[in-house]
């Protein structure tokens, strides 16, 4: 029996560069209040959101991804030709096939990398990061581009008082490459499909196509159920990720949770008993919930503003529709 040659990958993987793109249009709560019966005070108290970015027709999923990817590749000190894999996490690319990752790979000049999309909602960045780490360590690609991108304004029901104010658009990207020491910890991930109805698309595309419903599909959620799950269950997952990495909350420099809701973020900080020295990403205030894009966008802003620095140890956790989740500890690029 023939023996298969073992993989020749790197011993470890790390995030080498990060980039982000936020659409030029900034939408304050006052615009949202034109279609729902609420107030700026109510929106801020419930979510912490003051503004969000909405994409123009020209700011497509592909266009935003190309901008974020270019920044991440440059930040990593690489050229597009060196990228051997492109992973795109999104729920707002409206072509079933081909994968938008292939178009993005071509437009950035990456040559012929492995390229594919994943759908893991707000945990999508964590899923993509884990897959990229595996590719680098396994040896199937030396450098992998991971993109989280959403145009959730296309899937927002502006008359839904529970969700109209939540969502924003944008793209965040990182480059994952080889490392000589651990810089991306073990991933704690999973799903709770029995709760899948708590965050979902209102109707299937086929219902809209066939005229069963007249209203275009949108994202809806059971706010209280999601809040309770995120606060109590995701704090446990975050702690498991710390344990898997062999560190404690006191060892952290930065906490970058999915930017879903300021109340959820603050509750997780309290439950995890994070020390005051830990910098906490609160990008949701001005960016809204951008699903798969939220963690890399928040990471990019913390580094750009000097709130976090290269070499810092960060806990990242994403959670959302499915319900799915993914958490890991990383060294910032």
């Amino acid at each position: 029996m023939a023996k298969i040659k073992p993989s020749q990958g790197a011993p470890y993987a790390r995030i080498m560069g990060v980039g982000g793109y936020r659409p030029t249009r900034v939408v304050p709560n006052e615009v949202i209040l034109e279609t729902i019966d609420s107030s700026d005070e109510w929106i801020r108290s419930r979510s912490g959101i003051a503004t969000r970015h909405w994409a123009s027709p020209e700011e497509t999923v592909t266009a935003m991804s190309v901008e974020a990817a270019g920044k991440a590749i440059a930040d990593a000190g690489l050229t597009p030709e060196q990228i051997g894999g492109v992973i795109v996490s999104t729920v707002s690319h409206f072509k079933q096939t081909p994968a938008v990752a292939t178009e993005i790979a071509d437009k950035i000049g990456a040559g012929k990398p492995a390229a594919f999309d994943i759908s893991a909602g707000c945990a999508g960045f964590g899923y993509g990061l884990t897959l990229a780490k595996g590719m680098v360590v396994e040896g199937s690609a030396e450098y992998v581009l991971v993109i989280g991108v959403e145009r959730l304004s296309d899937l927002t029901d502006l008359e839904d008082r529970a969700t109209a104010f939540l969502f924003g658009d944008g793209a965040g990207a990182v480059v994952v490459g080889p490392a000589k020491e651990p810089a991306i910890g073990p991933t704690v991930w999973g799903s709770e499909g029995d709760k899948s109805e708590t965050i979902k698309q209102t109707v299937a595309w086929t219902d809209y196509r066939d005229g069963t419903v007249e209203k275009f599909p949108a994202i809806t959620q059971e706010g209280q159920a999601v809040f309770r799950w995120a606060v109590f269950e995701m704090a446990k997952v975050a702690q498991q990720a710390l344990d898997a990495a062999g560190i404690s909350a006191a060892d952290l420099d930065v906490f970058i949770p999915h930017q879903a809701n300021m109340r959820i973020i603050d509750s997780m900080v309290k439950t995890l008993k994070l020390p005051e020295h830990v910098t906490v990403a609160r990008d949701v205030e001005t960016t809204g919930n951008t699903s798969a894009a939220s963690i890399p966008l928040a990471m990019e802003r913390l580094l750009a503003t000097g709130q976090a620095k290269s070499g810092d140890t960060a806990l990242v956790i994403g959670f959302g529709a499915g319900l799915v989740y993914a958490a890991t500890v990383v060294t910032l690029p």
Side-chain angles (χ1 to χ4, degrees), residues 13-322:
R14 66 186 176 105
I15 298 175
M16 299 178 61
V18 60
Y21 179 82
R22 291 172 172 81
T24 55
R25 182 188 177 192
V26 177
V27 180
N29 288 338
E30 285 73 19
V31 172
I32 307 299
L33 296 175
E34 295 174 4
T35 53
I36 61 171
D37 180 17
S38 187
S39 68
D40 177 66
E41 181 183 5
W42 187 89
I43 292 173
R44 289 173 185 258
S45 65
R46 290 299 181 110
S47 67
I49 298 172
T51 61
R52 73 285 291 147
H53 295 257
W54 283 356
S56 67
E58 294 76 25
E59 291 169 316
T60 63
V61 165
T62 298
M64 293 190 293
S65 296
V66 168
E67 290 292 328
K71 294 176 183 178
I73 293 169
D75 191 45
L78 301 174
T79 62
E81 294 82 1
Q82 292 175 275
I83 299 298
V86 178
I87 303 171
V88 177
S89 178
T90 185
V91 298
S92 47
H93 173 57
F94 292 151
K95 288 184 180 179
Q96 194 71 37
T97 193
V100 72
T102 59
E103 181 181 357
I104 294 166
D106 177 64
K107 288 188 178 296
I108 65 173
K112 300 179 180 180
F116 57 94
D117 299 349
I118 60 174
S119 176
C122 303
F125 175 74
Y127 275 56
L129 183 65
T130 302
L131 294 172
K133 171 188 173 183
M135 292 167 70
V136 171
V137 173
E138 187 269 343
S140 60
E142 187 174 11
Y143 303 107
V144 181
L145 179 67
V146 180
I147 301 170
V149 57
E150 302 292 2
R151 271 183 56 117
L152 293 181
S153 57
D154 292 332
L155 287 168
T156 298
D157 180 354
L158 293 178
E159 297 178 346
D160 180 2
R161 189 172 184 270
T163 61
F165 59 89
L166 286 175
F167 302 120
D169 304 335
V174 300
V175 174
V176 177
K180 295 181 179 179
E181 58 185 31
I184 301 176
T187 299
V188 177
W189 57 355
S191 65
E192 297 186 34
D194 61 317
K195 300 180 181 65
S196 61
E197 292 294 302
T198 56
I199 307 175
K200 64 180 181 179
Q201 184 171 303
T202 49
V203 295
W205 300 115
T206 48
D207 292 340
Y208 182 72
R209 179 199 66 188
D210 297 340
T212 305
V213 296
E214 295 183 358
K215 201 168 188 177
F216 192 74
I219 297 174
T220 186
Q221 69 175 32
E222 298 174 15
Q224 287 301 314
V226 173
F227 180 85
R228 288 193 297 270
W229 175 77
V231 168
F232 296 108
E233 298 303 320
M234 291 305 97
K236 297 176 186 177
V237 171
Q239 184 60 55
Q240 290 170 15
L242 290 174
D243 295 341
I247 67 172
S248 68
D251 298 316
L252 284 177
D253 300 302
V254 185
F255 179 44
I256 311 177
H258 164 49
Q259 301 294 293
N261 180 303
M262 195 75 79
R263 291 169 62 207
I264 292 175
I265 294 170
D266 290 341
S267 294
M268 291 182 70
V269 168
K270 183 177 180 180
T271 302
L272 288 168
K273 299 179 180 179
L274 296 185
E276 290 187 6
H277 75 264
V278 177
T279 297
V280 180
R282 291 188 171 89
D283 195 44
V284 66
E285 180 180 4
T286 56
T287 306
N289 180 343
T290 56
S291 189
S294 80
I295 290 175
L297 277 174
M299 182 184 296
E300 186 256 359
R301 175 163 281 174
L302 288 176
L303 289 166
T305 58
Q307 296 176 72
K309 63 183 184 299
S310 175
D312 278 353
T313 299
L315 169 63
V316 300
I317 179 170
F319 44 86

